[in-house]
Amino acid sequence: MARSTLTQILEPGDEKGGRWLRELGAQGLLALLMSDAYEKGALPGASERRVTGLRARAAGVVPGQRLTAVRALGGRFVMPGDTEWPTQLDDLGDARPVGLWVRGLPDLRTWALRSVAVVGARACTPYGAHMSAVLATGLAERGWVVVSGAAFGVDGAAHRGALAAGGATVAVLACGVDVAYPPGHTELIKRIVQQGLVVGELPPGDHPTPSRFVLRNRVIAALTRGTVVVEAEYRSGSLVTARRAQQLGRFTIGVPGPVTSGLSAGVHELLRGGATLVTDAAEVVELVGDMGDLAPERTGPVLPRDLLDPGSRRVLESLPARRAVSCAEAARCAGTTDDEALGRLYELHSLGFVERCPEGWRLASRAIRGSNARRGDA
C-alpha cells in the first residue's frame, strides 16, 4: 500500500525519490512525507521547495484508494520483490519504477523475458506503418512479445500487427492504465487488455504529460531485450528509447528508409552510431534470440549459367552476342585447346546455351528460363 501510494506522490524516473525509497523504505518515506512533524534535512538533497511540493501532494492522497480502483478494473499493482516483477527493470537503478500498475491476465515477468520493443514516429509514412505491422506480425509468429507505447503511428501499427497474428503485445502507457490515451486508440487499448497487457507507472486516473512520455520510454527500453526503431526524426522520443536501451546494454536496432525522408533521418543517425540494421523479423530474432536463431541466408536469384563449371563458362563467354564463330576462334578467345572447346560447345549445346549453324557456333536464340537441367531433345 505504501508503494502504490508513493506512485501518486513521486514522478516517474525520480532518481532522488528512488534513493530515498532505497534508504528509508516505502513505509518510512511515506510516513515522512505525510507526517505533520517533518524535520528539515530528513530527505538528503531535497530543497525546501521540493519538500513543500511533495508534502502538498501527499496531503491530498488517500492511501489504498487507487489500489481499490485498479482491482475494480480487474488489474493489480506489481512491485519489486513480487514474483511478477520483471527484475531487468532493476538495471535502471534509483530510476526504476516504484511499482507498475497492470491490466491483463498474463504474467508480466514471464512475458518480458522474451520481448522486443517496436517504436517510432507518430506521424509515420505508409512505409513506416507497413514495416511496423510486418515486423510485429513476424515477431509474434515466432513467439516473441511485442512491446510499444500505444501511440498513433508506428506504435499502433506494431500492436495491431501482433494482435492480428494472434500474438502477445504489451502497451506501456504514460498515464493511468484506466485512461485511454490517445482517445483514438480506446478500442485498441481495450483489445490489448483482453489479449495482452497494459502497464503504467502512474496510478489509475492520472493523465499524461510531455515529460511523462519521455520518462515512460526508459521502462520500454529496460523491459525488453532490444528496441527496434521504425522511422524517427532527429528529435524523437523513439531515439530516446533507443539510446537508453544502448546505455542499458540492450540491442538497439533500426529499420532503414529513404535517405530523402526526414522521418528516417533519426534512424539513419542511430545506425551510424552503432545500432544494427534489420529488414525483417527474422533478422531481429537473430540478434535478440538464443544461439542458433539465425536469419536465412540472403542471396540473389541463381541463373542457369551460374551452375556451369569454370571451363564451360569461359567458352560460353567467348561467343559474341550477334554472330557465329568457329570452334578454333572460340578456343582462342577462351584460352583453351580446340578439342576441349569442341567438347565444351557440345555440352553447352545439350544444355541449351548455344546452337550449331553453318557458320559455326552461336549463342542460342531463345534465352534459357528456369532450370538448366539437361534436356533429352537438345
Side-chain angles (χ1 to χ4, degrees), residues 234 239 242-247 250-254 264-277:
Y234 284 122
L239 297 186
R243 291 182 179 125
R244 194 56 186 266
Q246 279 181 324
Q247 294 168 2
R250 310 294 198 264
F251 291 101
T252 309
I253 306 161
S264 291
V267 179
H268 296 160
E269 189 65 22
L270 194 68
L271 292 170
R272 281 170 51 83
T276 303
L277 184 150

mmCIF file of all heavy atoms in Angstrom, residues 234 239 242-247 250-254 264-277:
data_model
loop_
_atom_site.group_PDB
_atom_site.id
_atom_site.type_symbol
_atom_site.label_atom_id
_atom_site.label_comp_id
_atom_site.label_asym_id
_atom_site.label_seq_id
_atom_site.Cartn_x
_atom_site.Cartn_y
_atom_site.Cartn_z
ATOM 1 N N TYR A 234 15.232 13.462 -36.238
ATOM 2 C CA TYR A 234 16.386 13.693 -35.374
ATOM 3 C C TYR A 234 15.962 13.944 -33.934
ATOM 4 O O TYR A 234 16.598 13.489 -32.997
ATOM 5 C CB TYR A 234 17.191 14.897 -35.879
ATOM 6 C CG TYR A 234 18.030 14.615 -37.109
ATOM 7 C CD1 TYR A 234 17.856 15.349 -38.266
ATOM 8 C CD2 TYR A 234 18.996 13.607 -37.107
ATOM 9 C CE1 TYR A 234 18.621 15.101 -39.397
ATOM 10 C CE2 TYR A 234 19.754 13.350 -38.230
ATOM 11 C CZ TYR A 234 19.573 14.096 -39.370
ATOM 12 O OH TYR A 234 20.325 13.839 -40.482
ATOM 13 N N LEU A 239 14.060 7.808 -30.368
ATOM 14 C CA LEU A 239 15.517 7.786 -30.251
ATOM 15 C C LEU A 239 15.938 7.815 -28.784
ATOM 16 O O LEU A 239 16.967 7.243 -28.421
ATOM 17 C CB LEU A 239 16.132 8.958 -31.002
ATOM 18 C CG LEU A 239 15.916 8.983 -32.519
ATOM 19 C CD1 LEU A 239 16.697 10.131 -33.152
ATOM 20 C CD2 LEU A 239 16.333 7.662 -33.152
ATOM 21 N N ALA A 242 15.759 4.283 -27.753
ATOM 22 C CA ALA A 242 16.860 3.501 -28.311
ATOM 23 C C ALA A 242 18.175 3.800 -27.598
ATOM 24 O O ALA A 242 18.952 2.884 -27.294
ATOM 25 C CB ALA A 242 16.982 3.784 -29.799
ATOM 26 N N ARG A 243 18.432 5.056 -27.326
ATOM 27 C CA ARG A 243 19.697 5.409 -26.669
ATOM 28 C C ARG A 243 19.722 4.934 -25.219
ATOM 29 O O ARG A 243 20.777 4.564 -24.700
ATOM 30 C CB ARG A 243 19.915 6.923 -26.765
ATOM 31 C CG ARG A 243 20.204 7.339 -28.214
ATOM 32 C CD ARG A 243 20.479 8.815 -28.359
ATOM 33 N NE ARG A 243 20.772 9.115 -29.761
ATOM 34 C CZ ARG A 243 20.144 10.017 -30.491
ATOM 35 N NH1 ARG A 243 19.172 10.729 -29.943
ATOM 36 N NH2 ARG A 243 20.475 10.220 -31.751
ATOM 37 N N ARG A 244 18.542 4.917 -24.593
ATOM 38 C CA ARG A 244 18.503 4.373 -23.227
ATOM 39 C C ARG A 244 18.759 2.867 -23.276
ATOM 40 O O ARG A 244 19.424 2.304 -22.404
ATOM 41 C CB ARG A 244 17.149 4.666 -22.584
ATOM 42 C CG ARG A 244 17.131 4.451 -21.064
ATOM 43 C CD ARG A 244 18.225 5.298 -20.419
ATOM 44 N NE ARG A 244 18.362 5.045 -19.005
ATOM 45 C CZ ARG A 244 17.761 5.757 -18.045
ATOM 46 N NH1 ARG A 244 16.959 6.754 -18.370
ATOM 47 N NH2 ARG A 244 17.949 5.490 -16.787
ATOM 48 N N ALA A 245 18.233 2.209 -24.306
ATOM 49 C CA ALA A 245 18.499 0.776 -24.476
ATOM 50 C C ALA A 245 19.990 0.522 -24.657
ATOM 51 O O ALA A 245 20.537 -0.435 -24.095
ATOM 52 C CB ALA A 245 17.716 0.243 -25.682
ATOM 53 N N GLN A 246 20.672 1.381 -25.425
ATOM 54 C CA GLN A 246 22.112 1.252 -25.596
ATOM 55 C C GLN A 246 22.830 1.378 -24.258
ATOM 56 O O GLN A 246 23.741 0.601 -23.943
ATOM 57 C CB GLN A 246 22.638 2.320 -26.564
ATOM 58 C CG GLN A 246 22.448 1.985 -28.033
ATOM 59 C CD GLN A 246 23.015 3.067 -28.939
ATOM 60 O OE1 GLN A 246 22.938 4.256 -28.616
ATOM 61 N NE2 GLN A 246 23.554 2.670 -30.082
ATOM 62 N N GLN A 247 22.430 2.352 -23.464
ATOM 63 C CA GLN A 247 23.053 2.565 -22.159
ATOM 64 C C GLN A 247 22.858 1.365 -21.236
ATOM 65 O O GLN A 247 23.724 1.056 -20.411
ATOM 66 C CB GLN A 247 22.472 3.819 -21.505
ATOM 67 C CG GLN A 247 22.809 5.114 -22.226
ATOM 68 C CD GLN A 247 21.988 6.286 -21.721
ATOM 69 O OE1 GLN A 247 21.184 6.161 -20.791
ATOM 70 N NE2 GLN A 247 22.181 7.445 -22.330
ATOM 71 N N ARG A 250 21.174 -3.172 -23.935
ATOM 72 C CA ARG A 250 20.205 -3.906 -24.745
ATOM 73 C C ARG A 250 20.544 -3.719 -26.228
ATOM 74 O O ARG A 250 21.298 -2.826 -26.610
ATOM 75 C CB ARG A 250 18.779 -3.414 -24.491
ATOM 76 C CG ARG A 250 18.356 -3.314 -23.026
ATOM 77 C CD ARG A 250 18.293 -4.653 -22.339
ATOM 78 N NE ARG A 250 17.519 -4.589 -21.117
ATOM 79 C CZ ARG A 250 18.024 -4.417 -19.894
ATOM 80 N NH1 ARG A 250 19.329 -4.301 -19.743
ATOM 81 N NH2 ARG A 250 17.237 -4.368 -18.837
ATOM 82 N N PHE A 251 19.966 -4.550 -27.065
ATOM 83 C CA PHE A 251 20.170 -4.413 -28.507
ATOM 84 C C PHE A 251 19.420 -3.184 -29.014
ATOM 85 O O PHE A 251 18.258 -2.959 -28.672
ATOM 86 C CB PHE A 251 19.668 -5.657 -29.240
ATOM 87 C CG PHE A 251 20.508 -6.876 -28.982
ATOM 88 C CD1 PHE A 251 20.079 -7.831 -28.075
ATOM 89 C CD2 PHE A 251 21.705 -7.057 -29.638
ATOM 90 C CE1 PHE A 251 20.842 -8.967 -27.826
ATOM 91 C CE2 PHE A 251 22.481 -8.181 -29.394
ATOM 92 C CZ PHE A 251 22.049 -9.140 -28.486
ATOM 93 N N THR A 252 20.098 -2.389 -29.836
ATOM 94 C CA THR A 252 19.494 -1.224 -30.461
ATOM 95 C C THR A 252 19.466 -1.463 -31.960
ATOM 96 O O THR A 252 20.499 -1.719 -32.575
ATOM 97 C CB THR A 252 20.304 0.044 -30.142
ATOM 98 O OG1 THR A 252 20.498 0.119 -28.731
ATOM 99 C CG2 THR A 252 19.572 1.273 -30.603
ATOM 100 N N ILE A 253 18.280 -1.389 -32.545
ATOM 101 C CA ILE A 253 18.051 -1.873 -33.906
ATOM 102 C C ILE A 253 17.295 -0.805 -34.696
ATOM 103 O O ILE A 253 16.409 -0.134 -34.157
ATOM 104 C CB ILE A 253 17.220 -3.181 -33.848
ATOM 105 C CG1 ILE A 253 17.898 -4.206 -32.917
ATOM 106 C CG2 ILE A 253 17.012 -3.768 -35.227
ATOM 107 C CD1 ILE A 253 16.980 -5.307 -32.443
ATOM 108 N N GLY A 254 17.637 -0.660 -35.960
ATOM 109 C CA GLY A 254 16.964 0.331 -36.794
ATOM 110 C C GLY A 254 16.526 -0.240 -38.133
ATOM 111 O O GLY A 254 17.207 -1.101 -38.703
ATOM 112 N N SER A 264 13.134 9.270 -41.607
ATOM 113 C CA SER A 264 14.126 8.212 -41.454
ATOM 114 C C SER A 264 15.491 8.748 -41.032
ATOM 115 O O SER A 264 16.402 7.982 -40.764
ATOM 116 C CB SER A 264 14.274 7.426 -42.762
ATOM 117 O OG SER A 264 13.113 6.667 -43.027
ATOM 118 N N ALA A 265 15.628 10.070 -40.975
ATOM 119 C CA ALA A 265 16.921 10.678 -40.665
ATOM 120 C C ALA A 265 17.428 10.262 -39.284
ATOM 121 O O ALA A 265 18.615 9.961 -39.109
ATOM 122 C CB ALA A 265 16.808 12.194 -40.751
ATOM 123 N N GLY A 266 16.541 10.230 -38.302
ATOM 124 C CA GLY A 266 16.954 9.832 -36.956
ATOM 125 C C GLY A 266 17.390 8.388 -36.886
ATOM 126 O O GLY A 266 18.344 8.041 -36.179
ATOM 127 N N VAL A 267 16.701 7.524 -37.622
ATOM 128 C CA VAL A 267 17.068 6.104 -37.651
ATOM 129 C C VAL A 267 18.447 5.938 -38.278
ATOM 130 O O VAL A 267 19.295 5.187 -37.786
ATOM 131 C CB VAL A 267 16.026 5.277 -38.430
ATOM 132 C CG1 VAL A 267 16.430 3.814 -38.466
ATOM 133 C CG2 VAL A 267 14.655 5.427 -37.809
ATOM 134 N N HIS A 268 18.691 6.642 -39.370
ATOM 135 C CA HIS A 268 19.983 6.531 -40.045
ATOM 136 C C HIS A 268 21.114 7.037 -39.150
ATOM 137 O O HIS A 268 22.207 6.452 -39.129
ATOM 138 C CB HIS A 268 19.951 7.305 -41.356
ATOM 139 C CG HIS A 268 18.983 6.745 -42.338
ATOM 140 N ND1 HIS A 268 18.484 7.461 -43.405
ATOM 141 C CD2 HIS A 268 18.382 5.527 -42.414
ATOM 142 C CE1 HIS A 268 17.641 6.714 -44.091
ATOM 143 N NE2 HIS A 268 17.556 5.531 -43.503
ATOM 144 N N GLU A 269 20.859 8.087 -38.392
ATOM 145 C CA GLU A 269 21.867 8.576 -37.449
ATOM 146 C C GLU A 269 22.120 7.541 -36.355
ATOM 147 O O GLU A 269 23.253 7.339 -35.915
ATOM 148 C CB GLU A 269 21.396 9.902 -36.829
ATOM 149 C CG GLU A 269 22.444 10.619 -36.009
ATOM 150 C CD GLU A 269 23.617 11.093 -36.843
ATOM 151 O OE1 GLU A 269 23.472 11.253 -38.072
ATOM 152 O OE2 GLU A 269 24.699 11.294 -36.250
ATOM 153 N N LEU A 270 21.058 6.865 -35.934
ATOM 154 C CA LEU A 270 21.195 5.802 -34.935
ATOM 155 C C LEU A 270 22.038 4.655 -35.486
ATOM 156 O O LEU A 270 22.895 4.103 -34.783
ATOM 157 C CB LEU A 270 19.802 5.298 -34.557
ATOM 158 C CG LEU A 270 19.663 4.422 -33.313
ATOM 159 C CD1 LEU A 270 19.947 5.241 -32.063
ATOM 160 C CD2 LEU A 270 18.250 3.842 -33.241
ATOM 161 N N LEU A 271 21.821 4.315 -36.739
ATOM 162 C CA LEU A 271 22.596 3.251 -37.372
ATOM 163 C C LEU A 271 24.061 3.642 -37.495
ATOM 164 O O LEU A 271 24.957 2.810 -37.312
ATOM 165 C CB LEU A 271 22.011 2.929 -38.753
ATOM 166 C CG LEU A 271 20.625 2.281 -38.757
ATOM 167 C CD1 LEU A 271 20.057 2.245 -40.168
ATOM 168 C CD2 LEU A 271 20.678 0.872 -38.178
ATOM 169 N N ARG A 272 24.327 4.906 -37.790
ATOM 170 C CA ARG A 272 25.712 5.373 -37.854
ATOM 171 C C ARG A 272 26.372 5.327 -36.478
ATOM 172 O O ARG A 272 27.595 5.223 -36.367
ATOM 173 C CB ARG A 272 25.758 6.807 -38.389
ATOM 174 C CG ARG A 272 25.602 6.914 -39.902
ATOM 175 C CD ARG A 272 25.401 8.351 -40.349
ATOM 176 N NE ARG A 272 26.418 9.245 -39.809
ATOM 177 C CZ ARG A 272 27.628 9.422 -40.343
ATOM 178 N NH1 ARG A 272 27.969 8.751 -41.422
ATOM 179 N NH2 ARG A 272 28.473 10.263 -39.798
ATOM 180 N N GLY A 273 25.560 5.391 -35.431
ATOM 181 C CA GLY A 273 26.092 5.387 -34.072
ATOM 182 C C GLY A 273 26.227 4.006 -33.461
ATOM 183 O O GLY A 273 26.459 3.900 -32.251
ATOM 184 N N GLY A 274 26.041 2.955 -34.252
ATOM 185 C CA GLY A 274 26.291 1.611 -33.729
ATOM 186 C C GLY A 274 25.091 0.707 -33.640
ATOM 187 O O GLY A 274 25.229 -0.462 -33.259
ATOM 188 N N ALA A 275 23.907 1.200 -33.975
ATOM 189 C CA ALA A 275 22.733 0.321 -33.995
ATOM 190 C C ALA A 275 22.853 -0.673 -35.149
ATOM 191 O O ALA A 275 23.637 -0.473 -36.084
ATOM 192 C CB ALA A 275 21.453 1.140 -34.126
ATOM 193 N N THR A 276 22.083 -1.749 -35.066
ATOM 194 C CA THR A 276 22.130 -2.796 -36.089
ATOM 195 C C THR A 276 20.973 -2.629 -37.064
ATOM 196 O O THR A 276 19.827 -2.436 -36.653
ATOM 197 C CB THR A 276 22.048 -4.185 -35.439
ATOM 198 O OG1 THR A 276 23.123 -4.315 -34.503
ATOM 199 C CG2 THR A 276 22.162 -5.283 -36.479
ATOM 200 N N LEU A 277 21.280 -2.711 -38.339
ATOM 201 C CA LEU A 277 20.261 -2.582 -39.383
ATOM 202 C C LEU A 277 19.540 -3.913 -39.575
ATOM 203 O O LEU A 277 20.173 -4.960 -39.666
ATOM 204 C CB LEU A 277 20.923 -2.142 -40.687
ATOM 205 C CG LEU A 277 20.023 -1.850 -41.894
ATOM 206 C CD1 LEU A 277 20.672 -0.794 -42.774
ATOM 207 C CD2 LEU A 277 19.759 -3.108 -42.721
#
